[in-house]
Amino acid sequence: MCDNESKIQWSRFVSGDNKAYDWLYSTYIQCLYRYGLHFTSDGEAVKDCIQDVFTNLYRNRRKLIVPANVKVYLFVSLKNSLLRYLAEHYRYGSEKAEVDAPFLLEPTVEDEYIDNEQLVRQEKMIEKLLSVLSPRQKELIYYRFIQELQWDEICKLMNLNYQSAQNLLQRALRKIRENFDIENLDI
């Protein structure tokens, strides 16, 4: 998420632009949900608190200023909402209220699923990128970027002189650039 874009949208939202409000909600909803799950495993409570945060933002938008960091502002708002919810929930329940809710560092099931999904997507993209290279170019890229070998080690392994290894790498990178729009890759 681009912080400058978030600030622009926030400013528009404060000025009354409902599309900017929608943008903020759709942009931050998933990361807020994952963040909230670090405080409680009750996904419904997290959803309710996120809804409260955005409802309060909408209700009080005329009084708001553009925060230095929109994401941090939303995280703090959600954390405060969750702490209020947990204190209220436990006040009427049989368990003792835990005012300072523990921040759970274990990744949630959703975090693990998303990480795995991203890893699979990255692996497919890398396979696609490497498919245009010769076996020799793939080998050089493997040694240089996966094994992180030094040039002299690569030259020994591939029986190349330094300049030939450099040329082979440059040709491989040029071939990838020619076949793919590198700047717009979603890796």
Side-chain angles (χ1 to χ4, degrees):
M1 277 166 264
C2 178
D3 195 42
N4 285 337
E5 179 65 20
S6 293
K7 287 180 181 179
I8 291 168
Q9 293 296 334
W10 185 279
S11 181
R12 289 179 181 161
F13 156 63
V14 168
S15 299
D17 185 345
N18 286 333
K19 287 184 180 181
Y21 177 75
D22 293 342
W23 185 92
L24 288 166
Y25 183 84
S26 61
T27 299
Y28 287 101
I29 184 71
Q30 289 301 318
C31 69
L32 286 171
Y33 182 74
R34 286 191 303 274
Y35 176 70
L37 289 176
H38 289 289
F39 294 96
T40 179
S41 59
D42 185 351
E44 291 305 312
V46 174
K47 289 178 189 176
D48 288 345
C49 289
I50 292 171
Q51 204 63 38
D52 287 346
V53 166
F54 279 94
T55 301
N56 288 332
L57 286 176
Y58 191 83
R59 192 176 302 132
N60 298 311
R61 69 180 171 180
R62 300 276 182 232
K63 301 174 193 171
L64 297 173
I65 59 170
V66 179
N69 186 319
V70 172
K71 184 177 182 178
V72 170
Y73 181 90
L74 292 172
F75 275 14
V76 168
S77 297
L78 177 58
K79 181 179 178 182
N80 290 337
S81 181
L82 278 167
L83 292 176
R84 279 191 305 273
Y85 173 87
L86 293 172
E88 184 73 21
H89 179 266
Y90 287 117
R91 182 181 318 160
Y92 295 111
S94 59
E95 300 176 35
K96 185 180 176 194
E98 192 173 333
V99 177
D100 289 329
F103 187 81
L104 308 172
L105 281 180
E106 315 76 55
T108 64
V109 173
E110 185 178 347
D111 287 336
E112 290 175 8
Y113 177 77
I114 289 170
D115 289 346
N116 188 41
E117 193 175 280
Q118 289 173 338
L119 183 62
V120 168
R121 201 170 55 238
Q122 286 174 344
E123 287 172 350
K124 286 181 182 177
M125 181 54 67
I126 289 170
E127 280 179 34
K128 189 175 177 181
L129 288 171
L130 295 178
S131 70
V132 299
L133 301 180
S134 71
R136 201 84 167 133
Q137 290 170 326
K138 288 178 190 176
E139 181 182 6
L140 181 104
I141 286 190
Y142 172 78
Y143 292 143
R144 183 70 181 144
F145 298 109
I146 306 299
Q147 293 300 321
E148 298 179 348
L149 297 179
Q150 298 299 316
W151 283 110
D152 60 331
E153 298 166 322
I154 294 170
C155 291
K156 280 182 192 171
L157 279 168
M158 296 185 70
N159 197 25
L160 293 171
N161 67 40
Y162 177 81
Q163 189 59 51
S164 296
Q166 288 284 324
N167 292 345
L168 187 61
L169 177 64
Q170 291 308 313
R171 282 194 300 274
L173 295 176
R174 184 174 42 246
K175 199 171 194 180
I176 289 171
R177 278 190 224 102
E178 288 170 355
N179 286 282
F180 300 97
D181 184 9
I182 300 299
E183 292 160 2
N184 293 319
L185 282 182
D186 184 27
I187 297 182

